[in-house]
Amino acid sequence: MSDQKKPYVIAIEEHYWDKEMASKWATGEGAGPPLIRDKLYDYYDVRLKEMDSAGIDVQVLSHGAPSAQRFDAESGPEIAKGANDRLNEIVRRHPTRFQGFAALPTANPKAAADELERTVTKYGFKGAMIHGLSNGQKFLDLPEFWPIFERAQALDVPIYMHPAVPHPAFIDAYLKDYLKDFPGLTNAAWGFTVETATQGIRLVLSGVFDKYPKLKIILGHLGEGLPFLLWRIDHALSRPGGKALNFRETFREHFWITTSGNFSDAAMLCSMMELGADRILFSVDYPYVENQPGMDWMKHLAISTEDKDKVYSGNAKRLLKM
Ligand code: MN
C-alpha cells in the first residue's frame, strides 16, 4: 500500500513577511516569537532547506497576517504594490519552488481589483490572499468590495480568505477573561476561526455567488470548522422566516479548503465526506506550523493514494493552473 515514489507536493498557505510592508502597521500583530519572525524574513536559505527535508516541492507564498488589510484607502495601494513587486522577485529567483498570492489593498476596492489583475497578468500570481477585516473594520462580503470578486472571476483566480486578529469588540465581549493565561485564544486557538468562518458564511449570505457564479474562495485550516457545521447551518437557515438559500450547495460549489495548521484525521475525514477529495489542498501554514508534522500526518492518513495525490498537488495544479 505504501507509496514508493515521493509524491509531488504543493503547499499553498505558506507565509513570508515583507520588511517594508510590515514596518508600516502599527502593532506587532502576527510577528510571533523571534524564531518565527526570522523564518518569515528568510526567503531562501532555511525555507528551502526545510522544504527539501520535509519533501515539499513548491510553496505558494503569501504575506502573513494582517498583510495589506490594516491600511486605509489612500496608503494601501502603493504599499501593496511594492510588496507584490518584491514578492515577484522572490518567486522569480526560484520559479520551480515558489509561486505567489498577491496582497490586496482592500480598503480601496478598485485599486485592489486592479492590483489583482496586474499581479496575475504581469507576474503570473495564482490569486490573492486577504487577511481578516478590511482596514480592521469591514467584512469583505459587503457590496463595496465586490469589484475584487468580479475581477477574480474574470481572471479565473481564487481569493484565499485568511484570518487576522479579530475586531476588538469581539475579543472584549467573548475572550478577554482568559487572554492573560491563554493569549493564543485571540488568534489560532479560536478568534481566527470565528472571524474567518463568519466571513465564509457571510459571503454565501451576501449573494456574491449569484452575481459571480464562477467565483472561487479558499479557506484554510480545513475550512475554519464549516465542513463540520454545513448541515446544521443549512438546516437552520431553511427554517421558516428567512430568505430562500441553498447554503450547503453554494458552499460546496464555491469553496476549496486547505489543511493548513489542522492535521486532524477526524477533521480531514469529515471534510472529505462533506466536500469531497477534489476540494481539499495540502498546506502547512509555514512558519507558524512546521513542515515535517504536516508531511508525516499526510503520509499516515488513512485515505486512498489517489485521493492523497489530489490533496498533495493534483487539486492545486487544477485550481491554481500550475
Ligand atoms: Mn496562515
Side-chain angles (χ1 to χ4, degrees):
M1 250 251 328
S2 77
D3 251 340
Q4 293 308 312
K5 172 168 117 332
K6 186 202 122 16
Y8 187 70
V9 179
I10 301 172
I12 79 158
E13 191 195 307
E14 318 310 322
H15 304 300
Y16 79 102
W17 267 20
D18 177 83
K19 278 218 163 98
E20 200 171 318
M21 183 153 87
S23 73
K24 294 207 165 64
W25 60 68
T27 65
E29 187 177 345
L35 184 66
I36 301 285
R37 204 169 37 237
D38 289 350
K39 287 187 183 181
L40 286 165
Y41 288 128
D42 170 88
Y43 309 146
Y44 310 113
D45 301 334
V46 178
R47 183 176 296 265
L48 283 167
K49 234 175 264 164
E50 293 192 353
M51 287 166 68
D52 288 341
S53 66
I56 292 171
D57 296 279
V58 179
Q59 281 191 343
V60 181
L61 295 170
S62 50
H63 205 284
S67 189
Q69 270 57 70
R70 291 291 186 258
F71 305 125
D72 61 26
E74 289 70 43
S75 67
E78 276 310 300
I79 298 171
K81 190 167 180 285
N84 289 326
D85 287 348
R86 289 182 291 275
L87 174 59
N88 179 53
E89 286 164 22
I90 298 169
V91 171
R92 278 178 50 192
R93 225 166 112 170
H94 292 279
T96 60
R97 306 305 302 278
F98 297 136
Q99 295 290 338
F101 279 130
L104 299 183
T106 46
N108 188 331
K110 166 77 166 70
D114 289 345
E115 182 62 5
L116 178 64
E117 181 165 336
R118 185 183 78 92
T119 53
V120 170
T121 56
K122 187 172 167 197
Y123 294 154
F125 281 9
K126 299 303 174 188
M129 185 177 283
I130 293 174
H131 297 258
L133 306 180
S134 183
N135 208 4
Q137 299 290 324
K138 291 180 175 177
F139 281 102
L140 277 296
D141 49 273
L142 296 172
E144 66 192 87
F145 299 107
W146 287 18
I148 299 168
F149 300 118
E150 179 183 35
R151 202 71 62 92
Q153 175 179 272
L155 294 162
D156 193 25
V157 292
I159 303 289
Y160 201 130
M161 304 304 284
H162 184 281
V165 171
H167 196 285
F170 163 76
I171 297 174
D172 192 52
Y174 281 66
L175 305 176
K176 77 160 181 280
D177 302 314
Y178 293 99
L179 287 184
K180 193 167 161 284
D181 287 340
F182 304 103
L185 209 53
T186 317
N187 45 60
W190 190 236
F192 279 2
T193 308
V194 173
E195 185 175 85
T196 313
T198 304
Q199 176 64 89
I201 292 168
R202 289 180 55 119
L203 278 166
V204 179
L205 303 183
S206 73
V208 73
F209 300 112
D210 296 327
K211 186 88 186 276
Y212 307 113
K214 301 283 183 202
L215 178 60
K216 298 168 180 172
I217 301 293
I218 306 175
L219 295 177
H221 318 111
L222 284 175
E224 311 290 356
L226 292 175
F228 183 85
L229 294 165
L230 276 188
W231 189 94
R232 177 163 164 78
I233 295 168
D234 194 61
H235 183 260
L237 289 175
S238 307
R239 292 172 196 166
K243 204 169 154 182
L245 172 75
N246 199 335
F247 185 91
R248 189 169 174 225
E249 283 316 303
T250 305
F251 187 90
R252 298 203 304 187
E253 190 180 332
H254 292 279
F255 284 73
W256 280 253
I257 66 172
T258 81
T259 64
S260 59
N262 194 353
F263 308 142
S264 156
D265 289 16
M268 180 67 166
L269 294 182
C270 170
S271 299
M272 284 185 67
M273 289 177 77
E274 197 56 56
L275 303 180
D278 291 338
R279 291 298 176 115
I280 305 173
L281 291 76
F282 180 71
S283 297
V284 173
D285 207 354
Y286 184 90
Y288 300 98
V289 177
E290 288 176 27
N291 293 334
Q292 194 63 54
M295 289 296 286
D296 290 345
W297 170 69
M298 276 295 291
K299 188 176 174 188
H300 296 109
L301 193 64
I303 62 173
S304 72
T305 303
E306 190 189 10
D307 285 348
K308 220 176 259 194
D309 284 338
K310 289 178 179 178
V311 176
Y312 273 135
S313 61
N315 294 334
K317 282 181 190 165
R318 260 200 317 282
L319 180 63
L320 306 180
K321 301 187 206 100
M322 292 172 69

